[in-house]
Amino acid sequence: MYCIVDIETTGNGIKGNSITEISIFKYDGHEVVDEFTSLVNPECEIPFFITGLTGIDNDMVRNAPKLAEIAPKILEITSDAIFVAHSVNFDYNVIKNELQLLGLEFSRRKLCTVRLSRKLLPGYHSYSLGKLCSAVGIPLSNRHRARGDAHATMLLFHKLLRSHDAEKVFKSFLNAKSQEATLPPSLPKSEFEKLPATPGIYYFKDGKGHIIYVGKAINIKKRVLGHFYDKSTKEIALCNETAYLDFEETGNELIALLLESAEIKKHYPKFNRAQKRKIQQYALFSYEDRNGILHLAYNKINMAPNPLLVLYSISECRTFLEALCESFGLCPKYCHLQDNVDTCSHFRIKNCIGICSDIYHLEVYNARVRKAIDSLGETKSDFAIRLKGRNPEENGFVLVRENLYTGYGFVPKDTPLSTQDDFESYLTRQKNTLETQRIVEAFVRKSSKGILSFTRAETY
C-alpha cells in the first residue's frame, strides 16, 4: 500500500515551515482506496510570494482546521503504507517536524518519484513534476495546489510501477540499507558512491555542471552525506539543485582549507557565503600608560597604532594574548583580557608577577612585555610545512616565502628536499589572500611540528 502525498507550505525550508494544505491519496497499486485533502491553518502569516505561487492566502486558511485537528487522520491514512512524494524528503520531513512539535512520532518508509523517474524513465531534460508530466503525457491541473500535484504524482507513480525493471528498482530503493531516500532527488547514487573517505575538497554541481558549492572535509564522503541530512533551508535548496559531485583529495586538512579558499575565489559558488564577505582584520599593539606600564591590546586594524601582529577575529586576539601571558608571565589585566578589575584573576593564567597590585615590579614587568613583543618578529619568514600526503608513498607540503603563502605540493617520500628550490619543483602555485594568510598563520601558531625553516640545512 502506498500514500502519495503533496503539501503546500509557508516557505521553502523544514524547520519553521508550516503546512497550509495537504493532500493524500491512498493507492494499492491499481486504484485509489482512500483520499484526504484539506487546507490547514498554519497559525502564522503566509508570505506574499507563497500566495503568488499557490494562490493560498491568509483569508483562505483562517477558518481551516489546525494541524493538531487533522493529525489523527494523517497518521491513520499513512499507517502501514509507503510514503511517496515528488522530492519526498521535503514533504516527509516537513510533516514529520510539524507532528513532532505536537508530540507525535512519524516514521514511514519512503519513495521519491523524482529518483524513481530518473532510474525508470531516463533521458528527460527535466524531472520537475510539471515538465515531466508534460513530457510523458500525464494531465496536471491546479499546479502548486496540494490535490492537483498529488493526483499528478499518483498518475506518474502508476506509470512507474508498470515500467521495465520496476520490481527490481522499487525493491532496491526500499532496501533498509539503501541511501536512495537520503540523497538529493536529482543526484544519481553513483555520484555519491564515487566519493572517497579521505581529506580533501568537494564540489556540488547543478544540472548544467556549474559549481554551486565548494567545501572541505577530513572525510569527504561523510561530510557530503552530512549535507543531505541537514534540514536547514539553505541545505535543502543546495541539495535540490545538486545533480553532480566532484572532489579532489589533499591528504590533510591544511591543504584542503587552502584549496577550498582558492576554489571559492575562483568559482564564486552560489551557496558559499563565508569567504565572500570582507574579513575584518584586528591588530595587536602596545602602549604605555601614565604610570609607565606597558600594555598589550587589540582593536580593529584601522584603530590600532603601529600594529605588532594582524589577526582575523576577536577570539584569535584573545587566544594569542593568553598564550603570550602564559609564556612571558604577563598580566591579563594589562593585556586587556580582564576589564574593570583591581588585580588580575584569570581562571587559567596564574603566573602574573604582581604588577597589577604592586608598581614595584614595573621595570621587570616591562622587560617581559618587550621580550614578548620581540618574539613576534621571530616567526619564520621562509619555510615549508611538512604534511601527510594523499597516499602512503608521498608527502604533502605548503610553501611560505617572506611570510607569504606561495602554494602547495606533493612529493614522493624518498625524494630528499632541503632548499626552497627543491620544493619549487613540486609546487602548485597559489595566490596569497587574507584568507590563506589567516589559515597558514593559525596553523603555525597552533603547532611548530613539521615546519622546516630554510635558515637551517635540513632534509625533508
Side-chain angles (χ1 to χ4, degrees):
M1 193 69 71
Y2 307 94
C3 274
I4 290 82
V5 184
D6 190 81
I7 60 173
E8 302 303 329
T9 70
T10 56
N12 296 315
I14 297 296
K15 294 183 179 180
N17 200 355
S18 299
I19 299 170
T20 59
E21 189 175 38
I22 185 168
S23 184
I24 304 171
F25 287 86
K26 197 158 190 176
Y27 177 69
D28 65 3
H30 299 280
E31 60 183 4
V32 176
V33 298
D34 197 2
E35 178 193 344
F36 174 71
T37 299
S38 177
L39 286 167
V40 182
N41 185 341
E43 301 182 77
C44 64
E45 291 292 314
I46 299 174
F48 289 121
F49 78 94
I50 293 295
T51 297
L53 179 68
T54 66
I56 301 173
D57 59 23
N58 294 310
D59 288 336
M60 289 176 62
V61 299
R62 184 167 288 113
N63 297 317
K66 298 175 182 177
L67 185 66
E69 298 173 54
I70 61 173
K73 180 61 179 178
I74 295 172
L75 293 172
E76 176 198 345
I77 195 172
T78 60
S79 64
D80 301 319
I82 297 168
F83 189 107
V84 181
H86 208 69
S87 295
V88 69
N89 285 332
F90 175 78
D91 299 77
Y92 180 85
N93 285 307
V94 169
I95 292 173
K96 182 177 181 177
N97 188 67
E98 287 280 86
L99 292 177
Q100 280 182 339
L101 294 176
L102 297 173
L104 302 171
E105 291 297 319
F106 187 75
S107 179
R108 305 288 188 266
R109 290 195 296 168
K110 298 178 289 181
L111 283 173
C112 178
T113 50
V114 178
R115 299 195 66 78
L116 286 169
S117 297
R118 286 184 172 276
K119 193 77 172 179
L120 295 170
L121 303 173
Y124 288 98
H125 178 69
S126 172
Y127 286 84
S128 68
L129 184 61
K131 291 182 179 179
L132 183 60
C133 286
S134 177
V136 299
I138 292 174
L140 175 55
S141 57
N142 292 324
R143 185 76 174 102
H144 296 304
R145 289 297 299 270
R147 192 183 189 282
D149 287 353
H151 185 259
T153 303
M154 187 268 295
L155 295 177
L156 174 62
F157 189 71
H158 179 89
K159 183 178 182 68
L160 291 169
L161 276 172
R162 287 150 182 80
S163 300
H164 178 65
D165 279 342
E167 184 177 352
K168 178 182 176 182
V169 170
F170 272 66
K171 186 177 180 180
S172 69
F173 276 38
L174 288 169
N175 187 318
K177 296 182 179 179
S178 173
Q179 293 175 318
E180 291 289 350
T182 304
L183 301 181
S186 299
L187 182 71
K189 188 177 179 180
S190 58
E191 287 289 303
F192 176 72
E193 289 178 335
K194 73 182 182 183
L195 299 177
T198 57
I201 65 169
Y202 55 90
Y203 303 86
F204 282 39
K205 299 180 179 180
D206 64 17
K208 296 180 179 180
H210 297 146
I211 295 171
I212 56 175
Y213 184 80
V214 179
K216 71 90 188 171
I218 298 295
N219 182 322
I220 294 174
K221 194 162 198 170
K222 184 177 180 180
R223 180 66 190 94
V224 169
L225 188 61
H227 285 282
F228 304 154
Y229 281 111
D230 194 325
K231 304 308 175 189
S232 67
T233 300
K234 175 197 168 185
E235 293 291 349
I236 291 168
L238 167 63
C239 291
N240 282 340
E241 290 191 32
T242 301
Y244 303 101
L245 297 172
D246 206 348
F247 65 92
E248 185 169 344
E249 295 178 276
T250 63
N252 57 81
E253 186 178 19
L254 178 57
I255 294 180
L257 281 166
L258 293 166
L259 192 52
E260 175 197 37
S261 178
E263 290 298 279
I264 290 173
K265 295 291 187 196
K266 179 179 178 181
H267 298 288
Y268 214 68
K270 176 179 179 180
F271 288 94
N272 282 99
R273 296 177 183 172
Q275 296 194 38
K276 291 180 181 180
R277 297 190 297 266
K278 182 180 179 181
I279 292 180
Q280 176 62 61
Q281 293 177 279
Y282 295 86
L284 298 188
F285 63 96
S286 176
Y287 69 91
E288 184 178 310
D289 67 18
R290 61 185 178 182
N291 293 319
I293 301 172
L294 283 176
H295 291 238
L296 289 177
Y298 62 87
N299 206 337
K300 293 179 180 178
I301 194 165
N302 59 324
M303 302 291 289
N306 303 316
L308 300 170
L309 182 70
V310 177
L311 297 168
Y312 302 94
S313 71
I314 290 175
S315 62
E316 278 188 38
C317 293
R318 294 187 65 85
T319 300
F320 193 80
L321 283 171
E322 286 175 5
L324 286 180
C325 284
E326 290 188 285
S327 298
F328 296 94
L330 306 185
C331 176
K333 175 183 175 180
Y334 291 115
C335 286
H336 294 261
L337 295 172
Q338 290 187 294
D339 296 319
N340 302 317
V341 295
D342 293 328
T343 60
C344 67
S345 56
H346 197 277
F347 71 98
R348 184 165 57 245
I349 302 167
K350 306 296 184 183
N351 57 351
C352 171
I353 64 172
I355 183 66
C356 51
S357 59
D358 188 354
I359 198 99
Y360 173 79
H361 301 285
L362 176 63
E363 290 305 320
V364 176
Y365 181 77
N366 282 353
R368 292 189 179 192
V369 176
R370 293 188 188 96
K371 189 174 181 180
I373 292 172
D374 290 342
S375 74
L376 301 180
E378 294 173 359
T379 56
K380 303 175 181 68
S381 59
D382 296 312
F383 59 93
I385 304 173
R386 297 174 287 190
L387 301 159
K388 187 178 179 181
R390 297 164 296 187
N391 57 64
E393 287 73 44
E394 70 176 13
N395 289 318
F397 69 87
V398 166
L399 188 63
V400 176
R401 304 192 74 164
E402 297 182 0
N403 275 336
L404 298 178
Y405 167 60
T406 305
Y408 68 91
F410 300 96
V411 59
K413 271 192 173 179
D414 58 359
T415 303
L417 300 173
S418 58
T419 68
Q420 295 180 57
D421 290 340
D422 293 338
F423 283 91
E424 291 276 358
S425 302
Y426 298 91
L427 184 69
T428 299
R429 290 194 171 276
Q430 297 284 290
K431 290 182 179 179
N432 183 72
T433 65
L434 281 176
E435 288 84 3
T436 57
Q437 194 78 8
R438 177 185 181 182
I439 291 166
V440 173
E441 288 174 0
F443 182 91
V444 172
R445 282 196 299 271
K446 191 179 297 183
S447 173
S448 60
K449 184 179 178 181
I451 296 179
L452 171 66
S453 173
F454 295 120
T455 58
R456 303 187 303 274
E458 296 184 24
T459 301
Y460 189 21

